[in-house]
Amino acid sequence: MSDPSTAPEPTLLVERDGPVLVLTMNRPHRRNALVPDMLVRFADAWAMADEDDDIRCVILTGAGTEAYCAGGDLSDGWMSGEVTEEAKRIQERLKADPGITGRGLLLTDWCRKPIIAAVNGQCLGGGCEMLQQTDIRIAEEHATFGVPEVKRGLIAGAGSTMRLKRQIPYAVAMDMLLTGRTLTAEEALQWGLVSHVVPSGASMAKARELAEVICANGPLAVAAAKASVVETGWLPEAEAQPIEISHVVPVMRSEDAKEGMRAFAEKRTPEFKGR
């Protein structure tokens, strides 16, 4: 029998901290580069966040101090066609559910809970593509951002050609996609790719601070706000408005809404029940 104490750590650490789910990409020796095992674990983690009403917010970060996620691990074999031991362990899962990697990358689905990214280093390739599906993004001052796939004869095809031009100015997005340009943390803040820049080592503290604020808000309101934003996307207002209304009406009729207004009138902290 193998010794459990010598087993390698999971490629994705999944930890509960009260109502916050903390996901840590855990391959610091490979700059937290993505491999199939990690994507399968991601798919399971997103599903858990969606299904557990007690989870109110997700924090996503990388292990170590050098990289948040350097993209797909090109030398691991999962993109070059080489069969590795890691690939063998998850082969049956991938065969049974080919769409699981797309869900893990947040390419074909989205997480219903708010996601705060704590970017603690290089955020490149697939890591930057997944970043585009997070909601609040904190960059440490040494972090860098890019989709340099074209430099390897590849394309940033996990969402960036669809999303990046919608989230930052078109010309900046095209510069990144066509030349492989990398942004500094300050440039990423300037162009709106991230929400905050903090000193090195401070991203998790800021992420927990923001998660605490989110978790104190009405859970129905938070969930509906994110759902409405995602589902309306960049639709014309005439098409988007019915979708928004479908989320607004249940929230306004909820017990939480009544409690929030009562608490405001009574100058006290509301006690939301999620109903």
Side-chain angles (χ1 to χ4, degrees):
M1 295 180 62
S2 61
D3 182 356
S5 65
T6 63
E9 284 194 339
T11 57
L12 181 72
L13 302 180
V14 180
E15 303 167 288
R16 288 287 296 270
D17 183 7
V20 180
L21 184 68
V22 180
L23 305 181
T24 305
M25 293 173 279
N26 189 38
R27 300 184 72 231
H29 61 292
R30 297 295 300 168
R31 297 186 299 161
N32 298 318
L34 302 168
V35 287
D37 180 78
M38 189 190 294
L39 296 179
V40 169
R41 293 175 187 272
F42 261 127
D44 291 342
W46 303 132
M48 178 173 68
D50 280 349
E51 294 164 5
D52 189 338
D53 290 340
D54 291 332
I55 295 174
R56 303 279 300 282
C57 187
V58 180
I59 294 175
L60 174 59
T61 193
T65 59
E66 179 184 356
Y68 168 80
C69 177
D73 194 335
L74 303 185
S75 65
D76 186 76
W78 76 294
M79 293 184 70
S80 64
E82 179 186 348
V83 178
T84 65
E85 288 303 314
E86 182 177 67
K88 291 176 184 178
R89 287 197 298 271
I90 60 172
Q91 183 177 14
E92 292 306 314
R93 183 86 183 271
L94 291 168
K95 282 184 178 179
D97 186 3
I100 197 167
T101 55
R103 298 198 304 277
L105 277 168
L106 294 174
L107 173 62
T108 57
D109 204 354
W110 54 279
C111 179
R112 274 64 182 167
K113 305 298 171 62
I115 305 171
I116 301 172
V119 183
N120 56 322
Q122 291 179 324
C123 179
L124 304 173
C128 190
E129 298 198 89
M130 190 185 297
L131 181 81
Q132 295 163 46
Q133 278 289 74
T134 63
D135 302 301
I136 300 176
R137 305 162 193 171
I138 303 157
E140 296 188 10
E141 58 190 1
H142 69 285
T144 54
F145 301 82
V147 279
E149 281 86 342
V150 289
K151 292 181 178 291
R152 299 292 179 263
L154 305 171
I155 182 173
S160 287
T161 61
M162 299 182 291
R163 297 173 182 145
L164 195 57
K165 66 182 184 292
R166 295 173 174 176
Q167 298 187 10
I168 65 176
Y170 177 87
V172 180
M174 293 303 286
D175 197 354
M176 294 175 69
L177 289 165
L178 300 182
T179 73
R181 173 185 173 183
T182 298
L183 301 183
T184 65
E186 287 296 337
E187 287 174 324
L189 180 64
Q190 174 187 354
W191 298 121
L193 186 61
V194 302
S195 318
H196 307 268
V197 173
V198 298
S200 296
S203 62
M204 279 301 293
K206 183 65 175 180
R208 291 183 187 280
E209 173 191 325
L210 293 171
E212 184 177 345
V213 173
I214 291 171
C215 291
N217 293 333
L220 298 181
V222 168
K226 176 164 182 176
S228 183
V229 167
V230 173
E231 292 173 12
T232 57
W234 280 259
L235 293 172
E237 285 193 15
E239 296 177 37
Q241 191 173 54
I243 298 172
E244 182 183 63
I245 290 172
S246 73
H247 291 291
V248 169
V249 171
V251 172
M252 298 305 291
R253 292 176 176 172
S254 69
E255 293 181 25
D256 277 0
K258 296 180 179 66
E259 164 62 11
M261 289 184 283
R262 277 197 304 268
F264 177 79
E266 297 168 6
K267 296 181 173 56
R268 60 175 175 81
T269 302
E271 297 180 11
F272 296 119
K273 305 295 185 184
R275 56 178 185 264

